[in-house]
Amino acid sequence: QVQLVESGGGLAQAGGSVSLSCAASGRTFSIGTMGWFRQPPGKEREFVAAVSWRGSIGYYADSVKGRFTISRDNAKNTVYLQMNSLKPEDTAVYYCASSGVGGALSPRSTWFYEHWGQGTQVTVSS
């Protein structure tokens, strides 16, 4: 099993920045792609960003491209999400997720991920 714990959420003003971290523990050798999803109030969970196992490929939702940056440090078993130029519509619970190694690649889909964190709230005020 893999355990994921997010941290770094909170309150920010529009135009500001927030950094999220997600630390993995357990069977970390089995982790492949890692991603971030978010669930705005009253809406379904949606893809935000993902990063390949080596950290060399990043995937982004159009709504965050150019504002958010995903990265990972495999030595620390941690994935990060740097969020800049925040907008009120970025308000959501943000979830970290990890996939296994191998298999079909679909980093934008929730079904692709095996393990999920408990989520961290990010609130952006206008």
Side-chain angles (χ1 to χ4, degrees):
Q1 275 287 55
V2 172
Q3 294 79 41
L4 302 173
V5 178
E6 302 98 336
S7 61
L11 179 65
Q13 290 190 332
S17 298
V18 170
S19 297
L20 302 182
S21 299
C22 173
S25 60
R27 297 170 62 89
T28 57
F29 61 86
S30 67
I31 295 176
T33 300
M34 296 193 75
W36 287 96
F37 286 74
R38 66 187 181 187
Q39 188 162 12
K43 297 184 179 181
E44 293 186 353
R45 194 169 299 189
E46 62 184 27
F47 170 74
V48 175
V51 62
S52 62
W53 176 69
R54 294 185 183 275
S56 56
I57 302 174
Y59 308 85
Y60 295 93
D62 288 343
S63 60
V64 307
K65 199 172 296 183
R67 300 189 298 123
F68 291 10
T69 302
I70 189 171
S71 61
R72 68 191 289 174
D73 184 338
N74 288 340
K76 297 182 178 179
N77 296 314
T78 301
V79 64
Y80 306 94
L81 186 67
Q82 177 65 39
M83 305 187 292
N84 298 328
S85 302
L86 285 165
K87 304 175 181 180
E89 51 264 44
D90 293 319
T91 295
V93 176
Y94 283 73
Y95 296 91
C96 172
S98 69
S99 73
V101 178
L105 189 65
S106 186
R108 301 173 187 273
S109 303
T110 55
W111 60 259
F112 177 68
Y113 296 89
E114 296 180 345
H115 300 99
W116 294 83
Q118 81 289 350
T120 185
Q121 176 71 45
V122 174
T123 303
V124 183
S125 62
S126 58

